[in-house]
Amino acid sequence: MPHPDHTAVPKPQRAGVADSGETSRTSFSGSPGTTLSGIPLKSVYTPEDLTDFDPQTSLGSPGEFPYTRGVYPTMYRGKPWTMRQYAGFGTARQSNARYRYLLAQGQTGLSVAFDLPTQMGFDSDHPRALGEVGKVGVAICSLEDMRELFEGIALAQVSTSMTINSTAAILLALYVAVARQQGANLEKLSGTVQNDILKEYIARGTYIYPPRPAMRIVTDVFAWCKDELPSWTTISISGYHIREAGSTAAQEVGFTLADAIAYVDTALAAGLRVDEFAPRLSFFFNAHSDLLEEIAKFRAARRLWARLMRERFGAQDARSMTLRFHAQTAGSSLTAQQPENNIVRVAIQALAAVLGGCQSLHTNALDEALALPTENSARLALRTQQILAHESGAANTVDPVGGSYAIEHLTDEIETGARASIERVDAMGGMLRAIETGYVQREIQKAAYEYQQSVERNERIIVGVNRYRTERQEPIPVLRIDPAIEQEQIERVRALRASRDAARANAAIAKVESRARTGENLMPAILSAVEAYATVGEISDAMRRVFGEHQETLAL
């Protein structure tokens, strides 16, 4: 899932949710009287704090509506969560070696990080790719690169998540083309493409096209996968980056589900039925440092989504109402100061994800505030998950925190705050309009600013940063990307263009542009283009000529 934006000081923020019996606090205090997001906390909770709480309707049983306690009856007793470590750097060959290493160390799913040029639809030899090739992920320009990325890995036997958004349709087509070459049964091909363009406009910035044509590409993927890749998860709707940008826990849930509502509305408008595509929707959340708040956040998100799908969209299929999610520990919480402390932070965050019922998990490495993980730090991050699974006992009982007065109170508080965010977005005309006016961006920026101010005033303690600092810090080994790989990748893509069947490639690119103009589903043309060895940049440019490029809306 997405590579975190690392800073020396973390940026989780305060929640704008209702108070429940104590004086409301509108800013952070130095006491432990609020959650990390600023929700007021009592020193002790009793049954009286669970106003209108009905165990049958609010809690229920695991695997049953409203899924507060988990989406499956037996949860990890039936199947452990997928240990999916996010990885990718340099060339396809280098990343392939890291994937095979992680699989040999016990990882149970792949997660691909792409470099910025690939995310933005530029080939490695494009002028705007200069200095970025292979830096924050693997450089993929063509089917030749994608085939090398998965060399020796049977795609029919592994689940792969690809963190890619603007060019998601192209990378999915490349993955399918490699699977075809391997002889895989596409009906059983398993994995996820992030494909969440709305959060790019809100929080991350790797967009290409304006929002409305970009949404059309998303729903083209939905429709095509329904028939061609029925086991594929067509989107991972991401709150992770919203939280990394500075949102509160309640905002993370509210804005993420508001994005999901926009995708559902768009798919319905395109003629799909809700129970045709909703079972293949998935979510991606941040696992932050406040243990109890994070557990409650995941439970609130599940319950609110189930209620929305049943009440708002009339979903009948239980799978349409189950919020399945991947979690990643909080990159923004990692510190460059005393990086060994990050091991402890990540372990606590991972425990929150497990107690909160995640379906898959990535644990960040201790050195990720400084660089991409080394092999050793990546192994230690994976071992953190394995120790949780096999030694901690946290996976032995389904929802062991369920029924805790404090947890149920926080779950209610976060659901209330999240629902309020959704209602405000609805009142503005929906998420697309809220993004276009800059409303969502401003709300997140405000929360981020308030939190940062609390850190700078020493009201919020960050160990090793504004308290418990050391005079001298020993350097740790970090991964360095060889600058020579950029020229190697440039030569590789140029050689491909010179050796391929140019007429076939050009005809396939023209077909993509034609379908973009006519409104036909783009996926068949994109798949034909990648199989003709058209490049990511060439296919992206074909759509740029039709859709144009998005210009950022400043939110002041």
Side-chain angles (χ1 to χ4, degrees), residues 422-430:
I422 292 169
E423 289 171 353
R424 285 192 288 270
V425 169
D426 283 344
M428 300 181 69

Side-chain angles (χ1 to χ4, degrees), residues 326-362:
H326 171 81
Q328 179 174 334
T329 57
S332 61
S333 73
L334 303 179
T335 63
Q337 300 93 327
Q338 301 177 29
E340 295 87 351
N341 295 344
N342 294 330
I343 300 171
V344 182
R345 292 186 177 103
V346 167
I348 293 169
Q349 294 162 5
L351 178 61
V354 170
L355 292 176
C358 69
Q359 277 59 67
S360 66
L361 176 62
H362 164 89

Side-chain angles (χ1 to χ4, degrees), residues 338-484:
Q338 301 177 29
E340 295 87 351
N341 295 344
N342 294 330
I343 300 171
V344 182
R345 292 186 177 103
V346 167
I348 293 169
Q349 294 162 5
L351 178 61
V354 170
L355 292 176
C358 69
Q359 277 59 67
S360 66
L361 176 62
H362 164 89
T363 36
N364 289 329
L366 70 97
D367 51 358
E368 289 191 63
L370 301 167
L372 294 177
T374 64
E375 190 172 275
N376 286 341
S377 67
R379 183 181 65 245
L380 180 58
L382 176 60
R383 293 289 184 258
T384 302
Q385 294 203 48
Q386 291 165 336
I387 290 168
L388 273 175
H390 301 296
E391 298 185 25
S392 73
N396 293 348
T397 301
V398 181
D399 188 29
V401 298
S404 156
Y405 303 135
I407 289 290
E408 301 303 346
H409 172 79
L410 284 172
T411 301
D412 288 348
E413 287 286 276
I414 292 172
E415 182 180 0
T416 298
R419 191 180 284 275
S421 291
I422 292 169
E423 289 171 353
R424 285 192 288 270
V425 169
D426 283 344
M428 300 181 69
M431 185 51 97
L432 278 175
R433 184 60 183 153
I435 291 170
E436 289 168 349
T437 63
Y439 165 74
V440 179
Q441 299 93 311
R442 286 193 300 273
E443 289 297 294
I444 295 170
Q445 289 167 6
K446 179 183 176 183
Y449 177 77
E450 291 178 356
Y451 177 80
Q452 188 60 35
Q453 288 293 102
S454 75
V455 172
E456 293 180 7
R457 291 192 298 263
N458 290 325
E459 294 169 355
R460 183 67 66 182
I461 303 307
I462 310 299
V463 174
V465 175
N466 61 358
R467 191 172 292 184
Y468 311 115
R469 290 176 288 199
T470 54
E471 292 297 322
R472 187 169 180 273
Q473 184 169 304
E474 295 296 326
I476 64 171
V478 295
L479 179 68
R480 303 294 182 191
I481 306 299
D482 186 350

Side-chain angles (χ1 to χ4, degrees), residues 45-175:
Y45 284 88
T46 68
E48 286 68 35
D49 293 298
L50 301 184
T51 307
D52 299 324
F53 179 79
D54 180 348
Q56 292 302 314
T57 59
S58 297
L59 199 56
S61 298
E64 296 180 8
F65 187 90
Y67 305 103
T68 312
R69 307 199 70 185
V71 294
Y72 302 119
T74 59
M75 288 300 287
Y76 309 135
R77 291 286 292 265
K79 180 184 177 183
W81 67 89
T82 301
M83 299 181 191
R84 194 186 298 280
Q85 292 298 104
Y86 182 64
F89 61 91
T91 65
R93 183 181 64 256
Q94 290 173 307
S95 293
N96 174 266
R98 177 62 63 87
Y99 298 156
R100 294 170 77 165
Y101 172 78
L102 288 169
L103 289 170
Q105 295 299 314
Q107 175 171 291
T108 53
L110 295 177
S111 182
V112 181
F114 297 98
D115 71 359
L116 282 176
T118 305
Q119 294 179 48
M120 298 293 290
F122 297 116
D123 292 329
S124 295
D125 62 343
H126 192 282
R128 289 180 65 180
L130 182 65
E132 290 293 344
V133 175
K135 287 293 178 66
V136 300
V138 60
I140 298 293
C141 297
S142 71
L143 180 54
E144 182 179 70
D145 292 330
M146 201 70 160
R147 185 168 54 237
E148 186 168 73
L149 184 66
F150 295 106
E151 182 71 31
I153 299 172
L155 299 187
Q157 299 173 18
V158 67
S159 168
T160 303
S161 172
M162 293 188 287
T163 300
I164 197 72
N165 297 285
S166 293
T167 54
I170 305 172
L171 273 296
L172 176 58
L174 286 167
Y175 190 85

